[in-house]
Structures are given as C-alpha cells and as structure tokens.
Amino acid sequence: MSNPTAYQSLVDHQRDIALLGSTQAVLGWDQETQMPSDAVAHRAAQLGQLTRLTHQMQTDPRIGDWLDAAGNSDTDADQACNISYWRKGWDRATRMPEDLAVALSEASSVAMAAWQQARATDSFPEFAPHLETLVGLKRREAEAMGWPAGGEAWDALADEFDPGMTAASVSAVFTPLRSALVDLRASVPEQTTADISALKGLPVDQQTRFLKDLVARMGFSFDGGVMATSTHPFCTSLGAGDVRMTMRSDEDTLLTALGSSMHECGHALYEQGLPRVFAGQPRGAYNGLSIHESQSRLWENHVGRSKPFWEWFTGQIADEFALPGLDAEQLYRAVNRTEAGLIRVEADQATYDLHIMVRFELERALLNGDLKPSELPDAWNAHYRDYLGVTPDSNATGCLQDIHWSMGAMGYFPTYTLGNLYAAQLFDAARAALPALETQIASGDFAPLLAWLRTEIHDPGRLHSPSELCERVTGKALSAEPMLAHLGRLHGV
Ligand code: ZN
C-alpha cells in the first residue's frame, strides 16, 4: 500500500466515525430539547447501538497499519496534525481493556442514579461506595493509558479534555492565582445592590426574540445554526453548517438569560468558525475544552460585562421593553457584583475559579490515594472555608453539588478556569490588535472582534496545541496576570 493511499484511507474511515458521532449528537440534541419522556428507553437503545458501532470502528485493526504507513510518508502540517491526533485516539481506544470500559460505563450509570438520590436526601454515605468504585476504575484507566515520566494518574485522564494539560502545569498557574483571588475576595469593598427590578418578569417570548437579535449581531449565523430553549443552556455541533445552542427557558430576570446566551453564543461562534474544509478531521476540530471555554467566557465576561457594552446595550433594552429610566452604570454594577457563595454554577467572575481549585485539588488527591472517598465531605468543607470563607451547611450544597464525578469525569474541572485565563489573555491581545475595540463595542459593532477571533483562534483549529496557540497569539505563555488585572480593574482594587 502506498503512503498517500494509507492517509486517504484514514481520512475516509475517520470521516465515517465523525458522521456516526454527529448522528449521536442529533439524537442528544433532540433528547434535551423536544423528546417526550416515554421515549427514554428507546433513545438509550439507539445511542447504545451507535456507541457500539463507533467503538468497533475506532478499534478497527486497519487503523494501526494505516497510521504506520502514513506516518512514514512526507506530510504537510495539516496532515501531520491529523495523524498525530488519530494516533492518540487509536492508542487510547486500543489501550482501554474491554472489561474496564464496560465496568466504567456500568459503574457510572449506577453512580449517577446514586448521586441523584444522595443529593436529594443529603446523604453522602449513599454515594461514597460508588465514588470509591469509580475512583478505583479511573485509576485503572489512567494506568492503562499511561503518563509521561514525572507525571501522575490525573494527567492521563486530563489529556483527553485538554491536550497536554497536566496536574503540574495546572498547579503552576493555579497556586499563585489562588492566593491572589483569596486576597481579592477579602479586599473588594462592600457593594450596594443595584435596583434591577425593572428587568424581572419581562415577557418570555419577547426576551427570546430580543436575545436572538443580540446573538445574530454578535455574528451567530442562523443559516448554520439554531437557538432553542432548555433548562440548562448548552451548545452542541451536529456537524459542518449545523451548530445548535439553547438559552434558558425559565429566567426571572433578563440579566441571567443574557449572560448564558452570550456564553453559549461564544461556544457557537467558535464551532461556526472552525475551518469547514477540514470537517470531520482533528485539523478542523475545536482545540480542547479550555480553548472552547475561553471563547464563551470572552464574550460573556469581557464583552458582555464591560462598560462599553452597557453603554450600548442599556439603550437597546430600554427601546425594546419601553423602560426609559434604565441606568447603564447601575446595570454594569449589577452584572459585576461579587460575593462568595457555596454553589459553583452561581459564582461570579472573582470567585468562580476558587470553586474549581477545590475540585482540582480533591480529585487529584483521590486519584493519588492521598484522600479516601469517605473523607471527602470534611476535606471539601475545609477547602471552602479556606478559599471562599464559607462553610456548606449540607453535603447537597457541598461535595454533592456537581454531577461530574458521578459520571466518571475526572480531570475535567480545570478546563473551566483555564478557559477564564485564556479568555483574559486573548482579550488583551485583541485590544492591542484592535485599538478601536471599545468604541466598536460601545456602538454594538462586534464584527471586528469576531474577525480577529476567526483568524487567530477559529481558523487554526487544532493545528497548534492550546499552549502553543496561546504563545503565538498573545506572545506569552498562559498566565494568571491578565485575568487578575481584569478583576482588579473591575473591582477597583
Ligand atoms: Zn461553557
């Protein structure tokens, strides 16, 4: 077999795998947005069947031969990018023992049900044995995948979510960030609550229309995407030309619906901007979850919570909802209020990352055997006291609040904070490249910012690793400084 043929065989085979994956995504989207509850069992069977087919295709022994042959030929940068990710995927798929894959899938579906029950009844002991099983299985998975010398089990799991992310690289950024955020929390002056009562109880249909206009103005293409409503907002790509996102359906104030819409739109703009010529190939795919999150946070926090944005957007709200007395400064203060709380998903910009650090340190300790699952509640509460100055009054509002660990997702949480850090650093670079950026945002003109993101972040897809991309675009390695400077400006400290 000649080498170009081997490469083309890989392209074709991987495109078929990607097509199956996108078919699963269609079913998942339907399940979240419209499927009737009686269809649960049938949908699970459909998804299970597709998972089996996908796994068979991912472990097709011909892939190993094609990779060996293609890897020995002259390749350009795009092909080399594809081969390296396909090699990684092949290694992961073939290193995973089948009995372990089955055990993990069964243990996590049982653990999710136990977690739901334990959270509802605030009973950690009901969940503890399931967590213990999962930690043991994830540890086995990490050992099967392996990690570079000097690393640890966590690294093997994290690499799947963010290529190259390790516990050591995360710690290097998190440790200085943590003490700075703890200090910031203590020094932010007392904030008076802005009066935002005018934005409560607005007609839901009108809010939906209004926010659709906003995302279109941000650059979301309704020819290549859909915006629907759901209880938990999310964004998913169903393939080239089809990006779906949702906004909250149950908001009592326009501000929370606005924040989640801009967040999901940031994800959607990234997906719509990925190079379509490489659809179904790693070269045309998103560059890990941290960079994905950076795109949502950049729009949500650096655009949507900025003064220039509110100079423009206050007038838009006033016109649409006939509220002439709105004050831009009050709204700007309201969306930037900070207060330490117990719940991660309700946290603001200045405290959110402290919630993530608690989870990162604890899951790392669990995987390394430094923390027993039964000791989790005490360790959790002690971390919350130290970092956030608050103590959970129950495990339901403490260590049982997130679904991630019960699903077996370990090594995932730091991508949220890395996304925040990338967002701040990228936005600084955008400001430097676009001197008129603030004036443009103050007039509701987002096109120059989107064009910059398209060129610098979206077009490259996975061509460079996330850390290389950051250096190329910002001239520096990822650091906590830009985000700390941003928070300092925001809170005047
Ligand atoms: Zn997100």
Side-chain angles (χ1 to χ4, degrees), residues 14-32:
Q14 298 288 346
R15 178 169 301 140
D16 288 346
I17 294 176
L19 280 173
L20 270 186
S22 64
T23 308
Q24 272 181 299
V26 179
L27 295 179
W29 164 264
D30 175 77
Q31 183 166 347
E32 293 292 325

Side-chain angles (χ1 to χ4, degrees), residues 180-189 493:
L181 287 178
V182 170
D183 291 350
L184 178 79
R185 175 174 66 68
S187 57
V188 169
V493 291

Side-chain angles (χ1 to χ4, degrees), residues 464-479:
H464 316 290
S465 74
S467 53
E468 282 165 9
L469 183 73
C470 178
E471 293 230 28
R472 292 176 78 97
V473 176
T474 71
K476 288 184 192 136
L478 180 66
S479 119

Side-chain angles (χ1 to χ4, degrees), residues 139-474:
R139 171 88 207 178
R140 266 186 67 200
E141 180 188 336
E143 280 161 4
M145 298 306 146
W147 55 84
E152 58 187 79
W154 191 89
D155 304 349
L157 304 178
D159 188 64
E160 189 180 355
F161 304 117
D162 196 357
M165 174 170 71
T166 64
S169 72
V170 169
S171 287
V173 187
F174 277 21
T175 305
L177 178 63
R178 186 181 64 227
S179 49
L181 287 178
V182 170
D183 291 350
L184 178 79
R185 175 174 66 68
S187 57
V188 169
E190 185 94 1
Q191 303 148 86
T192 48
T193 315
D195 180 14
I196 50 161
S197 53
L199 300 181
K200 289 192 174 162
L202 298 171
V204 172
D205 286 355
Q206 198 178 356
Q207 286 191 50
T208 308
R209 240 188 6 256
F210 181 61
L211 291 172
K212 278 188 176 172
D213 286 347
L214 173 66
V215 300
R217 187 137 187 168
M218 286 164 65
F220 181 77
S221 161
F222 281 92
D223 292 332
V226 168
M227 187 176 183
T229 53
S230 65
T231 326
H232 304 289
F234 68 100
C235 170
T236 179
S237 171
L238 308 188
D242 194 352
V243 176
R244 311 284 178 101
M245 67 167 156
T246 67
M247 54 176 284
R248 278 185 195 278
S249 50
D250 59 348
E251 277 319 325
D252 66 346
T253 100
L254 179 65
L255 297 185
T256 23
L258 170 70
S260 66
S261 298
M262 290 188 79
H263 181 102
E264 298 310 330
C265 183
H267 283 303
L269 291 173
Y270 185 24
E271 289 288 342
Q272 288 191 331
L274 290 169
R276 226 187 261 193
V277 56
F278 298 113
Q281 300 173 22
R283 172 63 183 84
Y286 71 89
N287 200 359
L289 292 180
S290 303
I291 295 291
H292 221 313
E293 192 67 7
S294 79
Q295 299 305 288
S296 59
R297 300 289 183 157
L298 185 146
W299 287 98
E300 179 191 6
N301 291 336
H302 296 272
V303 178
R305 292 194 156 94
S306 71
K307 258 201 175 123
F309 179 81
W310 284 95
E311 283 168 21
W312 168 71
F313 198 60
T314 306
Q316 302 291 305
I317 303 178
D319 288 350
E320 172 69 30
F321 298 97
L323 298 167
L326 286 181
D327 177 44
E329 179 66 27
Q330 282 233 331
L331 293 177
Y332 169 72
R333 282 216 316 271
V335 296
N336 285 302
R337 213 179 125 69
T338 176
E339 189 174 21
L342 294 171
I343 308 297
R344 174 182 64 86
V345 296
E346 294 169 4
D348 54 67
Q349 280 188 87
T351 57
Y352 184 88
D353 300 298
L354 293 169
H355 293 259
I356 297 301
M357 290 172 196
V358 172
R359 287 153 178 78
F360 165 62
E361 287 173 30
L362 295 178
E363 70 181 9
R364 189 181 179 190
L366 283 168
L367 284 164
N368 283 338
D370 297 333
L371 178 71
K372 293 197 195 82
S374 60
E375 299 165 342
L376 180 64
D378 286 345
W380 181 283
N381 295 349
H383 274 71
Y384 264 77
R385 258 195 313 277
D386 290 350
Y387 297 179
L388 287 131
V390 293
T391 309
D393 48 9
S394 71
N395 288 321
T397 56
C399 66
L400 288 174
Q401 65 182 271
D402 297 307
I403 194 173
H404 301 60
W405 288 339
S406 77
M407 296 164 63
M410 295 173 191
Y412 182 109
F413 277 118
T415 64
Y416 293 125
T417 288
L418 295 177
N420 282 330
L421 299 178
Y422 280 127
Q425 196 159 330
L426 290 173
F427 196 71
D428 278 354
R431 256 206 306 241
L434 306 168
L437 182 60
E438 294 198 345
T439 323
Q440 288 154 352
I441 292 175
S443 61
D445 177 11
F446 307 111
L449 175 61
L450 180 58
W452 184 85
L453 290 169
R454 290 269 191 256
T455 308
E456 302 293 336
I457 310 293
H458 303 178
D459 278 341
R462 259 180 217 184
L463 189 55
H464 316 290
S465 74
S467 53
E468 282 165 9
L469 183 73
C470 178
E471 293 230 28
R472 292 176 78 97
V473 176
T474 71

